Amino acid sequence: MPVKIKWLGHAAFLLTFKGKRLLIDPWISDNPLCPIKLSDLEPIDFIIVTHDHYDHFGDSEEIAKRFKSMVIGIPELVGSLEERGIRGLSLNMGSLVDVDGAFKVALVPATHTCSAGQPVGAILDFDGLRIYHMGDTGYTAEFQAIKDAFNPEVVLIPIGGHYTMGPREAALALRVLRPKIAIPMHYATFPVLVKDTGDFVKEASVIAPDVKIVVLKPGEELEI
């Protein structure tokens, strides 16, 4: 089953599959790299939020109300949305869970902070194709457990430093995870973040040379 992965800047991605649309960390309004406006969105079926920081939670509530989207995330975050009439799927870190027969998702640890529950990454399974959105995370020994349990083929990986892994740490993560493809994210948005992918690409070419690095511009997509 083909899956289209479109980068919307920062950690926001739009995945299209089986006629469905899934947003991850949909920070669209006020995101200086996002190439679209909220009004440009077509109906969204699912939203995954890795944690409640504004640059990840973003426009989740407004989008979910507009399209009656299902919001997927950690119980403390999703529960507060359900209290406000949002359709939610609360998960904790564990095994793959079927989502309306459209795909499967598992939440995995991320080394970061947040106010509601714990920050997570998300493993998405599309008929065997596994995509790992890492959320905001530092380098952690958890990557080996994620590799062993889920073996993702595509990794959406933060490289910006300061709040997450920088280029070298991200390359080290790829050496452990060994995906086929890595798409860098979470850079160039704020002044304190790495400005481009150059150092990451260099580090990865030495540390994880078998991983194909696909650098998308905001609004570009890759079909897997």
Side-chain angles (χ1 to χ4, degrees), residues 20 65 69 77 120 185 213-214:
K20 304 290 187 181
K65 286 181 176 177
S69 317
L77 188 155
V120 296
M185 65 173 182
I213 308 300
V214 177

Side-chain angles (χ1 to χ4, degrees), residues 22 24 29 50-51 64 71 75 79 91 107 125 130 149 163 181 183 218:
L22 162 66
I24 307 175
S29 300
T50 63
H51 62 295
V71 179
L91 303 176
L107 302 183
D125 185 302
R130 292 186 177 176
Y163 301 112
I181 295 171
I183 301 174

Side-chain angles (χ1 to χ4, degrees), residues 11-89:
F13 286 86
L14 172 64
L15 278 60
T16 307
F17 58 98
K18 291 183 178 177
K20 304 290 187 181
R21 295 183 183 87
L22 162 66
L23 278 174
I24 307 175
D25 286 354
W27 182 37
I28 294 173
S29 300
D30 302 321
N31 177 351
L33 295 183
C34 188
I36 65 171
K37 300 177 182 179
L38 281 179
S39 58
D40 297 326
L41 284 176
E42 297 183 69
I44 299 298
D45 301 284
F46 309 101
I47 299 169
I48 293 176
V49 182
T50 63
H51 62 295
D52 65 358
H53 289 168
Y54 76 92
D55 56 327
H56 294 260
F57 183 84
D59 304 288
S60 297
E61 185 168 357
E62 182 175 346
I63 295 168
K65 286 181 176 177
R66 177 181 169 193
F67 295 117
K68 303 187 185 308
S69 317
M70 175 190 287
V71 179
I72 302 166
I74 210 79
E76 293 81 356
L77 188 155
V78 172
S80 65
L81 291 173
E82 289 177 321
E83 290 174 358
R84 300 196 291 276
I86 303 294
R87 186 166 67 110
L89 176 61

Side-chain angles (χ1 to χ4, degrees), residues 105-142:
V105 61
L107 302 183
V108 296
T111 303
H112 196 57
T113 61
C114 66
S115 299
Q118 294 178 266
V120 296
I123 302 288
L124 309 172
D125 185 302
F126 301 96
D127 295 340
L129 170 64
R130 292 186 177 176
I131 299 172
Y132 175 20
H133 187 294
M134 300 181 75
D136 275 3
T137 188
Y139 184 81
T140 171
E142 299 281 4

Side-chain angles (χ1 to χ4, degrees), residues 10 27 32-33 54-55 163 186-195:
H10 204 59
W27 182 37
L33 295 183
Y54 76 92
D55 56 327
Y163 301 112
H186 208 285
Y187 65 93
T189 324
F190 307 130
V192 296
L193 300 185
V194 167
K195 300 298 185 291

